[in-house]
Amino acid sequence: MKEKLAQLKEKALSQIMTSEGLDRLNDIRVAFLGKKGELTDMLKSLKDVAPEERPAVGQMVNEARAAIEAKLEERRQAFERKLREEKMVAETIDVTLPAKKPMLGHRHPNTIALEEVERIFVGMGYEVVEGPEVEYDYYNFEALNIPKNHPARDEQDTFYVTDNIVLRTQTSSVQAHVMEQGKLPIRIIAPGRVFRSDEVDATHSPSFHQIEGLVIDKHITFADLKGTLAEFAKELFGEETKVKFRPHHFPFTEPSAEVDVSCFKCGGKGCRFCKGSGWIEILGCGMVHPDVLKMSGIDPEQYTGFAFGVGLERIALLKYEIDDMRLLYENDVRFLKQF
Ligand code: DAH
């Protein structure tokens, strides 16, 4: 019995030492120490041993059991250590590798131009306001002195939603909204999207952006308009920039003008950029028509004002020397990345 016990112990220990993997260790545990295991069987046959030898043999069984359990545990820990080490090696991160640069988004040229224009006018004390893109005929036309038979209303230019609701064709539509509120004086710019049923080409799009300006106070004159826009042009295109006011007609201003700036590429000598003329047209403006003031409840005998309207895309194209407006709408990252 003692000999068998010693052999059994040796067998178990050698199997444990040569075992590979935690599953195999468990099989060994069951085979020797389990309910029907070899050592357990031996314990059962203790009853066949002579009574005086039982304590000694019993102790040997216990010792064998303890030795096998200790070996199992030792081997188990060795396996786990090895697994952990393998995992660490597999998951090693090389912190010396160069990092991937994250792609940074940035502002669209239209947004950059708009923020620049807003910065200039806010600096002069203007407030930035917004109006609706879907607009009543009244605000887009009627209140701006554009009567029912005016060519600007021609269905060719205007997207009609219903008979008296349109997609606004100009940010001038914000003027009457602001004047109606009756808070004077007024000094605002109103940037926003406008719509016209134009074919897409290098200089046209059915949807583009304008920035409207409106100032109303006592004693506002054409000189204020000229000074304001001259300052705006200098800030936007450089200190050397000159402005030229050409007489024009808009229904909502009287007198009206179009404003050219001296070409910031050639300084006015004439180049490809300004098509040889030395001047570049940038906006429309004028003194607010007395009828427009009256319609919005402002007394033209007491108050006067000026207004102007700038195309945002036009500013962006000029400032960044882009020659095709379509580039601003395609949102090709290779193009946008350059600004
Ligand atoms: N609304 C005009 C347009 O879309 C631009 C404009 C011209 C606005 C003169 C004005 C202005 O406020 O006084 O062509």
Side-chain angles (χ1 to χ4, degrees):
M1 178 92 185
K2 282 182 194 169
E3 216 161 285
K4 261 174 83 185
L5 201 53
Q7 276 173 7
L8 187 71
K9 184 176 142 191
E10 282 317 305
K11 191 169 103 184
L13 294 186
S14 93
Q15 281 189 16
I16 292 169
M17 287 315 289
T18 55
S19 69
E20 286 303 333
L22 289 172
D23 286 350
R24 176 74 192 119
L25 263 194
N26 204 39
D27 292 345
I28 296 172
R29 175 193 301 281
V30 172
F32 288 96
L33 307 180
K35 260 192 196 149
K36 289 177 186 153
E38 291 189 46
L39 194 71
T40 318
D41 280 350
M42 268 207 178
L43 207 54
K44 283 177 195 155
S45 56
L46 207 58
K47 59 181 189 303
D48 306 331
V49 177
E52 64 280 12
E53 279 186 51
R54 264 181 219 163
V57 175
Q59 199 182 346
M60 274 186 77
V61 174
N62 283 340
E63 273 168 17
R65 185 178 187 90
I68 293 169
E69 270 172 355
K71 206 60 174 177
L72 279 169
E73 179 58 16
E74 185 189 310
R75 191 73 179 153
R76 188 187 64 80
Q77 284 183 8
F79 277 138
E80 285 190 346
R81 206 175 315 120
K82 195 169 146 230
L83 279 179
R84 205 172 320 122
E85 275 161 16
E86 280 169 4
K87 203 169 164 220
M88 298 278 267
V89 170
E91 290 177 1
T92 302
I93 294 169
D94 183 352
V95 292
T96 66
L97 279 176
K100 265 193 218 153
K101 264 202 188 156
M103 274 258 278
L104 269 189
H106 62 100
R107 294 171 304 161
H108 189 278
N110 268 354
T111 310
I112 304 174
L114 173 59
E115 286 179 359
E116 177 71 359
V117 173
E118 286 182 346
R119 184 190 64 76
I120 295 169
F121 282 105
V122 167
M124 295 193 229
Y126 286 60
E127 202 183 322
V128 181
V129 303
E130 278 179 23
E133 291 174 2
V134 181
E135 185 58 280
Y136 287 110
D137 178 288
Y138 174 78
Y139 290 100
N140 196 76
F141 293 127
E142 203 78 34
L144 290 166
N145 209 22
I146 305 173
K148 279 276 186 274
N149 53 1
H150 197 279
R153 283 172 161 260
D154 199 307
E155 214 133 2
Q156 273 186 355
D157 301 323
T158 309
F159 289 115
Y160 280 88
V161 178
T162 68
D163 269 355
N164 73 339
I165 296 176
V166 301
L167 300 186
R168 68 176 172 193
T169 60
Q170 48 187 358
T171 46
S172 306
S173 59
V174 184
Q175 285 190 22
H177 283 290
V178 177
M179 288 191 274
E180 274 178 352
Q181 290 169 7
K183 275 189 251 147
L184 292 161
I186 291 167
R187 203 182 287 118
I188 58 109
I189 55 169
R193 187 186 282 273
V194 300
F195 306 86
R196 290 183 195 180
S197 83
D198 280 332
E199 293 289 337
V200 175
D201 65 24
T203 55
H204 291 86
S205 161
S207 160
F208 55 103
H209 300 79
Q210 288 185 330
I211 304 158
E212 189 76 9
L214 178 69
V215 171
I216 295 174
D217 201 349
K218 289 176 175 163
H219 316 300
I220 296 287
T221 69
F222 204 95
D224 297 310
L225 173 59
K226 283 183 90 169
T228 301
L229 294 180
E231 187 55 33
F232 168 61
K234 278 185 189 167
E235 286 223 31
L236 194 60
F237 296 115
E239 197 53 36
E240 306 304 311
T241 311
K242 292 194 278 292
V243 286
K244 179 166 80 176
F245 285 70
R246 276 183 291 104
H248 201 77
H249 173 264
F250 296 105
F252 34 91
T253 42
E254 180 58 35
S256 305
E258 273 185 346
V259 174
D260 299 343
V261 291
S262 55
C263 178
F264 46 85
K265 271 248 116 164
C266 64
K269 285 195 284 296
C271 66
R272 238 183 36 152
F273 203 66
C274 54
K275 299 194 184 77
S277 76
W279 294 95
I280 299 170
E281 184 203 316
I282 61 157
L283 57 81
C285 64
M287 299 306 291
V288 180
H289 198 294
D291 288 347
V292 171
L293 292 173
K294 254 188 257 171
M295 272 187 275
S296 293
I298 296 174
D299 179 1
E301 296 298 329
Q302 280 202 55
Y303 284 92
T304 51
F306 63 77
F308 55 88
V310 199
L312 179 61
E313 279 79 357
R314 180 135 183 83
I315 302 286
L317 296 182
L318 286 172
K319 255 192 102 68
Y320 302 112
E321 297 179 28
I322 304 163
D323 57 13
D324 193 325
M325 190 171 171
R326 285 168 287 200
L327 290 166
L328 293 176
Y329 303 122
E330 283 164 359
N331 290 331
D332 185 327
V333 174
R334 290 167 301 179
F335 167 76
L336 293 176
K337 262 204 318 225
Q338 301 170 47
F339 301 95

